[in-house]
């Protein structure tokens, strides 16, 4: 029990907090220097492959997912515990301090770093009352009688600690909200060609991730009924100016169709979800006519490989079920504004001026193993093993046709654009924003407010000149960030002198502090 | 709106003019530092302060009249202060100092014009790439220094140590130069103005804090009686206690701004990238720098961690921030690829 208490004391000490903060900063470093699986899994694989045993070791200790690793979580949780452990007693102390009176005047005010003496014609009790009244708007005061003197204790700057507590509590709240958000958030992304639609269901998406407590059967109920158009506009110098997706969407079971435009910084927000425009590209259309069969038209999204959208992709046309090895595959390069050098097609502008679709036609078996495979390329293993054989190749301009040895024709009909859309849901975002705002507000209070204490001890008829005036000893203490406390103190003393002066001649201000009062006020 | 190439090249000329003026200012600050005697008596900051205040009111009418934003607050010149003023004012260093401040003000005006005209030329906020952002950070640092001077004229002789880093920043901006251009769609958001400006302001102030901290580290070695070559520089510096205090107050001022800047970034990321935080390298390093500065504030409030330890933490925080700007932008680069260098 004793040990536990000691450990707890240790954990919640400020020193531990500093060390834990340092560890947190340190632990985050590899997260930026090593490739991270959540951001870029293929880079991680390449890194592991390139670094042998070292690469595999890093994988074992979770260095490719630093922010999900056990050691990052451990530091985070310890800090969390430390924060709670130090906040609870501080809240209690603060609550008591709020109710308590400012503490008694120390015996020797002249031993404080800031002190001064004044004299007044008022009797001690009156002077104390008047001084307290003068201070009260900004200071919390208490007047006490002691043997042979009246004292005033004053304190201000309580909101510093309040700000500090608000900051730490909001920070705690923010951390909790982030964790809850992880459990209840989901994200799906989909490549959507102009004219197509999808609904917000896990099966609609190309990739879908959800937190552990998401009910995937009951996602927000909405559909993107039509990607009406995607528009990319460019400036004269070729730099992109705007990307926009015009969509028609509807919510609920029978909601009316609504239209919206999604641009890079403006997602569509509906039903608590957000639909983002992530990237875009071209989707060429071909019509394949096999001898003696009806023509088939297909549009496939091609992935842009450079700034000018030289794009790569593939079309798959399975053959008849009963005829093994009768599949047709087209592997292609699309260039919106083509330049052909030595038969190789590249694009020289991102906009469409002179589109060319370069096709390699293969026949055979598209997917010999039956495993899931990329829709952007043909199966490389099938090609290298000879299951897919190249039978023709041609660069097609718009409307041109290539004819395969078996008489099949492939016509380049045109193109559409595609937009990759991402649907995100995180119910905690708004609360997190509130916590963040409170954090900044708390910080401002905590760092801008200064804590000050001030005491007056007023003794009757005891000033040095024997005039019978009361002697007022003033002492001040800076409890945080001394700043320019000397000047602040001088200003307060001057105000007090004026307040205590109303019945008699000019107050005599005798400075006991080393610098002349009234000087250096700024 | 197209880019106004005439204004863009005017802005580039102003960069040259501002950098040249800063260079002259650094020369003049060096002159003050070399010929002035301020530093020797700066041990008791309070005493010097009254002297300088009084001196400034009495003896600097020309400067104040010229509209320079550095009129020191009028302070009653006590007999004690005034006596020393006349003696000190004959100092050659004082003249150098005044010239230096004039040049700093002039340089800052040229710098401000350079940034503003760049903004007009490209018809957007002038901090859309690393070149522009660096210029803004340098401008903030210079303005922070002028404001500090206005409040604490007695620190003037330290101008060398502030304007030297600013000059380095100006040259860095030169090496990062990017042709005036419009923004890619990802940066077309009012959050660019809010997020980047708050971070730039915070970084400019934290740059000042790091400079003060470096001086502090030299000074405490000197105060401990270490008189090796570098440390003897400390003879002219203000007391360790006042440097430490100034370094703390600058961080205390900048930290909430930096915090807000990071939060603005998160709000923008939510609108642009679909998540408020994704541990992109830029975000990761912003987090690291933030945590280190929080550590600094804690260290300052903890017995046994004040002083040198806290000072090193401050420098570490600045290191993380600088790393985030240069290395992350140029070498690592993630989603925040606004460097404009490729
Ligand atoms: C997630 C971790 C934490 C962060 C980011 C953080 C951040 C901060 C910041 C920015 C301040 C500056 C405000 C000020 O100076 O008044 C501060 C102050 C303070 N923190 Fe923390 N804190 C954390 C954890 C803790 C823990 C675990 C403790 C207790 C052991 C603690 C105790 C304090 C105290 C006592 C102050 C007041 C210092 C002063 O008077 O200047 N903090 N904290």
């Amino acid at each position: 029990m004793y040990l536990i208490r000691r450990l707890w004391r240790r954990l919640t000490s400020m020193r531990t907090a500093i060390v834990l903060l340092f560890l947190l900063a340190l632990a985050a470093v590899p997260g930026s220097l090593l490739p991270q699986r959540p951001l870029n899994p293929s880079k991680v694989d390449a890194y592991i492959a390139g670094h042998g045993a070292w690469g595999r070791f890093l994988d074992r200790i979770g260095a490719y997912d630093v922010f999900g690793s056990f050691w990052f979580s451990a530091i985070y949780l310890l800090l969390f515990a430390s924060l709670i452990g130090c906040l609870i007693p501080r809240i209690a102390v603060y609550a008591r301090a709020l109710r308590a009176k400012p503490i008694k005047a120390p015996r020797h005010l002249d031993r404080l770093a800031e002190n001064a003496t004044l004299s007044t014609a008022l009797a001690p009790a009156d002077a104390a009352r008047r001084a307290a009244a003068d201070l009260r708007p900004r200071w919390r005061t208490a007047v006490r009688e002691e043997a042979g003197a009246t004292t005033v204790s004053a304190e201000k700057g309580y909101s510093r600690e309040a700000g500090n507590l608000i900051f730490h509590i909001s920070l705690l709240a923010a951390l909790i909200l982030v964790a809850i958000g992880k459990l209840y958030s989901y994200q799906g992304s989909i490549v959507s060609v102009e004219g197509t639609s999808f609904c917000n269901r896990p099966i609609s998406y190309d990739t879908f991730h959800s937190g552990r407590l998401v009910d995937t059967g009951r996602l927000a109920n909405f559909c993107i009924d039509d990607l009406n158009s995607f528009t990319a506009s460019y400036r004269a110098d070729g730099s992109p100016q705007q990307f926009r997706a015009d969509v028609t969407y509807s919510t609920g079971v029978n909601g009316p169709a609504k239209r919206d435009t999604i641009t890079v910084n403006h997602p569509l927000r509906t039903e608590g979800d957000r639909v983002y425009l992530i990237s875009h590209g071209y989707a060429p259309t071909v019509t394949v006519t096999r001898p003696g069969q009806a023509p088939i038209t297909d549009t496939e999204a091609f992935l842009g490989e450079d700034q000018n959208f030289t794009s790569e992709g593939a079309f798959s046309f399975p053959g008849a079920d009963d005829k093994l090895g009768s599949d047709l595959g087209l592997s292609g390069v699309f260039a919106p504004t083509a330049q052909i050098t030595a038969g190789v097609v590249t694009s020289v502008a991102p906009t469409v001026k002179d589109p060319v679709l370069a096709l390699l036609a293969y026949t055979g078996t598209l997917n010999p193993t039956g495993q899931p495979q990329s829709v952007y390329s043909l199966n490389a293993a099938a090609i290298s093993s000879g299951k897919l054989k190249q039978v023709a190749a041609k660069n097609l301009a718009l409307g041109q046709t290539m004819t395969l040895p078996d008489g099949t024709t492939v016509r380049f009909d045109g193109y559409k654009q595609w937009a990759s859309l991402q649907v995100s849901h995180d119910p905690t975002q708004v609360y997190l924003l509130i916590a963040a705002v409170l954090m900044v507000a708390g910080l401002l209070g905590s760092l801008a407010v200064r804590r000050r204490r001030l005491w007056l001890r007023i003794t009757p008829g005891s000033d040095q000149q024997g005039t019978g005036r009361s002697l007022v000893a003033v002492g001040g203490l800076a409890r945080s960030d001394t700043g320019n406390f000397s000047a602040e103190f001088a200003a307060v003393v001057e105000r007090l002198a004026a307040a205590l002066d109303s019945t008699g001649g000019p107050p005599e201000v005798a400075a006991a502090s080393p610098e002349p009062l009234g000087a250096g006020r700024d | 709106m197209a880019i106004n190439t005439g204004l863009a090249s005017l802005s580039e000329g102003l960069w040259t003019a501002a950098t040249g003026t800063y260079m002259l200012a650094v020369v003049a600050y060096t002159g003050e530092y070399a010929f002035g005697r301020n530093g020797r008596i700066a041990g008791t900051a309070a005493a010097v302060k009254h002297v300088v205040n009084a001196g400034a009111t009495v003896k600097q009418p020309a400067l104040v009249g010229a509209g320079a934003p550095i009129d020191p607050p009028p302070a009653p010149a006590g007999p004690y202060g005034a006596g020393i003023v006349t003696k000190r004012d004959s100092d050659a260093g004082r003249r150098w100092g005044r010239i230096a401040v004039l040049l700093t003000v002039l340089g800052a005006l040229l710098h401000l014009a350079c940034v503003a005209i760049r903004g007009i030329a490209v018809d957007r906020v002038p901090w859309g790439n690393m070149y522009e952002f660096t210029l803004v950070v340098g401008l903030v640092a210079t303005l922070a220094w002028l404001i500090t001077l206005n409040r604490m004229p007695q620190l003037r002789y330290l101008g060398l140590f502030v304007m030297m880093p600013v000059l380095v920043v100006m040259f860095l901006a030169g090496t990062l130069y990017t042709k005036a251009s419009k923004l890619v769609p990802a940066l077309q958001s009012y959050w660019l103005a809010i997020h980047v400006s708050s971070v730039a302001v915070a970084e400019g102030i934290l740059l000042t804090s790091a400079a003060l901290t470096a001086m502090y580290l030299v000074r405490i070695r000197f105060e401990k009686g270490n008189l090796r070559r570098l440390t003897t520089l400390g003879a002219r510096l203000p007391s360790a206690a006042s440097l430490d205090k100034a370094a703390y107050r600058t961080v205390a001022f900048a930290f909430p701004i930096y915090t807000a800047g990071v939060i603005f970034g998160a709000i923008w990321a939510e609108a642009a990238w679909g998540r408020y935080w994704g541990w992109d390298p830029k975000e990761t390093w912003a987090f690291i720098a933030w945590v280190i500065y929080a550590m600094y504030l804690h260290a300052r409030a903890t017995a046994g961690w004040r002083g040198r330890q806290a000072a090193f933490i401050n420098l570490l925080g600045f290191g993380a921030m600088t790393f985030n700007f240069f290395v992350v932008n140029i070498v690592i680069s993630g989603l925040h690829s606004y460097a404009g260098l490729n």
Side-chain angles (χ1 to χ4, degrees):
Chain A
M1 201 52 219
Y2 169 72
L3 198 68
I4 292 176
R5 192 150 347 120
R6 242 185 59 176
L7 268 178
W8 180 246
R9 183 99 44 77
R10 187 47 86 72
L11 179 65
T12 56
S13 78
M14 198 70 160
R15 206 168 288 258
T16 310
I18 296 175
V19 172
L20 288 175
L21 283 174
F22 180 69
L23 289 177
L24 190 69
L26 199 65
V29 172
S32 76
L33 301 182
L34 292 171
Q36 296 291 297
R37 226 173 237 124
L39 294 182
N40 198 335
S42 57
K43 240 179 168 174
V44 173
D45 295 338
Y47 188 91
I48 296 176
H51 288 78
W54 172 240
R56 286 192 300 277
F57 169 73
L58 288 177
D59 197 17
R60 252 197 316 281
I61 61 169
Y64 304 118
D65 184 8
V66 165
F67 305 104
S69 70
F70 67 93
W71 37 275
F72 196 82
S73 314
I75 298 172
Y76 177 97
L77 286 175
L78 278 176
L79 200 59
F80 200 77
S82 170
L83 196 52
I84 293 176
C86 101
L87 275 177
I88 292 171
R90 278 176 66 199
I91 293 172
V93 168
Y94 184 66
R96 246 175 286 134
L98 271 186
R99 272 176 283 126
K101 282 186 183 174
I103 66 166
K104 273 195 188 136
R107 194 158 320 156
H108 301 286
L109 290 182
D110 55 350
R111 288 189 194 160
L112 294 172
E114 297 299 336
N115 64 80
T117 35
L118 306 167
S119 73
T120 175
L122 296 171
D126 294 337
R129 219 171 308 119
R130 193 166 303 176
D134 185 58
L135 290 169
R136 206 158 290 140
R138 298 192 52 202
W139 300 71
R140 175 183 294 223
T141 58
V143 177
R144 293 186 176 90
E145 294 293 339
E146 27 174 85
T150 307
T151 64
V152 180
S153 305
E155 180 157 358
K156 70 169 183 180
Y158 288 83
S159 52
R160 181 187 180 89
E161 182 67 2
N164 191 293
L165 290 174
I166 288 173
F167 168 78
H168 284 88
I169 293 169
S170 315
L171 180 65
L172 199 66
L175 294 179
I176 295 171
L177 286 167
V178 169
I180 296 177
K182 282 239 156 55
L183 295 175
Y184 286 99
S185 63
Y186 61 77
Q187 192 183 81
S189 50
I190 182 171
V191 167
S192 192
V193 177
E194 285 171 319
T196 61
S197 66
F198 68 92
C199 285
N200 185 31
R201 287 185 206 109
I203 49 152
S204 303
Y205 296 112
D206 302 333
T207 60
F208 181 79
H209 303 282
S210 60
R212 229 170 276 169
L213 298 182
V214 174
D215 180 354
T216 51
R218 306 180 53 184
L219 305 187
N221 196 352
F222 71 92
C223 294
I224 301 293
D225 299 320
D226 191 359
L227 172 59
N228 302 312
S229 68
F230 174 84
T231 320
S233 47
Y234 296 86
R235 302 192 185 90
D237 65 354
S239 64
Q241 182 168 26
Q242 197 196 34
F243 304 126
R244 53 181 281 175
D246 281 284
V247 296
T248 303
Y249 70 101
S250 59
T251 58
V253 183
N254 265 323
K258 289 178 260 190
R259 292 187 72 141
D260 197 19
T261 56
I262 307 174
T263 59
V264 177
N265 277 300
H266 298 277
L268 162 65
R269 293 178 191 272
T270 182
E271 302 292 290
D273 279 24
R274 295 109 56 196
V275 186
Y276 294 90
L277 174 60
I278 299 294
S279 65
H280 65 105
Y282 289 100
T285 305
V286 294
T287 298
V288 168
T289 313
R290 289 185 166 109
Q293 291 182 29
I296 308 169
T297 299
D298 186 25
T299 303
E300 289 294 336
F302 276 35
L303 292 181
E305 303 289 326
D306 60 26
Q307 286 184 344
N308 290 328
F309 287 89
T310 306
S311 310
E312 292 180 13
F315 298 90
S316 295
F317 298 93
D321 285 342
D322 52 352
K323 255 174 79 189
L324 214 62
S326 65
D327 299 342
L328 168 64
L330 301 171
S331 161
V333 172
F334 174 83
T337 300
Q339 185 178 57
I340 304 176
T341 33
V344 178
V345 177
T346 47
S347 178
V348 292
T351 46
V352 179
K353 211 160 155 210
D354 182 15
V356 166
L357 179 63
L359 287 178
L360 297 176
Y362 294 86
T363 54
T365 309
L366 282 169
N367 189 356
T369 57
Q371 276 164 0
Q373 71 152 57
S374 165
V375 297
Y376 300 107
S377 61
L378 297 179
N379 189 325
I383 293 173
S384 60
S385 68
K387 294 252 167 60
L388 267 181
K389 279 199 198 62
Q390 187 185 328
V391 292
K394 194 174 179 191
N395 297 336
L396 301 176
L398 210 55
Q400 285 185 339
T401 300
M402 77 195 267
T403 308
L404 309 190
D406 68 354
T408 301
T409 60
V410 180
R411 193 178 67 229
F412 173 28
D413 291 338
Y415 62 89
K416 286 183 172 165
Q417 301 207 62
W418 58 261
S420 128
L421 300 177
Q422 176 187 307
V423 173
S424 302
H425 175 84
D426 182 346
T428 57
Q429 279 200 156
V430 180
Y431 306 103
L432 191 60
L433 183 61
I434 295 171
V437 170
L438 286 176
M439 265 170 70
V440 176
L443 262 184
L444 287 175
S446 169
L447 292 169
V449 175
R450 296 181 182 155
R451 304 188 61 184
R452 302 294 184 239
R453 277 182 178 159
L454 189 74
W455 294 281
L456 280 70
R457 174 171 284 111
I458 310 165
T459 34
S462 56
D463 69 327
Q464 296 101 321
Q465 284 84 24
T467 53
R469 290 162 68 94
S470 302
L471 185 74
V472 185
V474 190
L477 189 70
R479 293 196 63 208
S480 71
D481 186 14
T482 36
N484 230 343
F485 185 52
S486 302
E488 276 175 47
F489 182 75
V492 170
V493 169
E494 201 165 290
R495 251 186 56 195
L496 284 173
L500 297 178
D501 172 44
S502 49
T503 56
E508 287 163 37
V509 179
S513 50
E515 48 174 321
L517 285 176
R521 223 173 328 119
D522 50 4
Chain B
M1 279 257 306
I3 288 158
N4 186 328
T5 47
L7 286 180
S9 56
L10 173 59
S11 166
E12 282 150 30
L14 285 166
W15 170 81
T16 313
T19 307
T21 314
Y22 283 156
M23 231 187 297
L24 293 177
V26 166
V27 170
Y29 280 122
T30 312
E32 167 168 47
Y33 196 74
F35 302 125
R37 283 183 289 139
N38 253 344
R40 304 235 170 96
I41 61 154
T44 53
V48 173
K49 178 170 190 168
H50 296 145
V51 171
V52 174
N53 278 356
T57 5
V58 178
K59 288 289 191 175
Q60 290 192 326
L63 188 56
V64 176
I70 22 173
D71 35 358
Y80 160 64
I84 302 183
V85 167
T86 21
K87 217 166 48 193
R88 297 211 50 71
D89 209 48
S90 61
D91 210 347
R94 184 149 290 278
R95 262 195 312 275
W96 280 109
R98 265 189 253 156
I99 294 170
V101 173
L102 264 180
L103 286 168
T104 312
V105 171
L106 181 64
L109 290 175
L110 292 167
H111 194 163
L112 183 66
C114 163
V115 169
I117 290 174
R118 173 85 170 194
I120 297 168
V122 291
D123 193 29
R124 57 169 170 79
V125 290
W127 46 78
N129 53 47
M130 273 181 91
Y131 163 69
E132 294 168 358
F133 183 80
T134 311
L135 278 180
V136 171
V137 171
L139 183 61
V140 170
T142 309
L143 294 179
W145 166 239
L146 288 174
I147 291 167
T148 309
L149 265 186
N150 184 23
R151 294 261 191 107
M152 297 184 253
Q154 75 272 17
L155 291 181
R156 188 179 67 191
Y157 72 104
L158 296 178
L160 177 59
F161 301 101
V162 180
M163 291 313 289
M164 201 58 194
V166 168
L167 195 58
V168 172
V169 166
M170 293 302 280
F171 279 117
L172 268 176
T175 65
L176 295 170
Y177 173 73
T178 311
K179 217 168 60 146
S181 60
K182 292 288 204 173
L183 294 174
V184 295
L187 294 181
Q188 292 167 10
S189 166
Y190 54 88
W191 287 108
L192 175 67
I194 301 169
H195 166 59
V196 181
S197 62
S198 52
V199 173
V201 166
E203 292 191 356
I205 300 168
L206 292 171
L207 170 69
T208 314
S209 186
L212 289 166
T213 302
M215 284 187 244
Y216 165 81
L217 286 172
V218 172
R219 176 72 191 188
I220 45 167
R221 294 193 121 197
F222 172 77
E223 285 182 7
K224 289 220 177 91
N226 180 334
L227 296 180
R228 267 181 305 157
R229 259 178 75 204
L230 180 71
T231 336
T232 51
L233 269 177
R236 300 262 180 106
L237 297 174
S239 71
S242 39
L243 284 170
D244 184 46
K245 201 195 293 180
Y248 167 72
R249 290 174 71 187
T250 38
V251 172
F253 186 71
F255 189 76
I257 302 176
Y258 189 62
T259 308
V262 172
I263 292 170
F264 294 147
I267 297 173
W268 188 7
E270 192 273 339
W273 298 327
R275 83 288 184 292
Y276 55 82
W277 196 267
W279 297 110
D280 180 66
K282 194 89 188 171
E283 295 167 344
T284 304
W285 279 93
F287 171 80
I288 293 171
W290 187 79
V291 168
I292 296 177
Y293 278 111
M295 218 169 104
Y296 169 76
L297 292 175
H298 280 99
R300 281 273 323 195
T302 310
W305 283 79
R306 294 197 187 97
R308 261 164 54 90
Q309 261 126 318
F312 281 120
I313 298 174
N314 185 327
L315 291 185
L316 198 65
F318 185 70
M321 224 171 54
T322 314
F323 185 92
N324 199 10
F325 185 54
F326 290 107
V327 183
V328 172
N329 274 354
I330 298 170
V331 184
I332 301 179
S333 97
L335 285 170
H336 281 80
S337 45
Y338 61 80
L341 292 179
N342 26 21

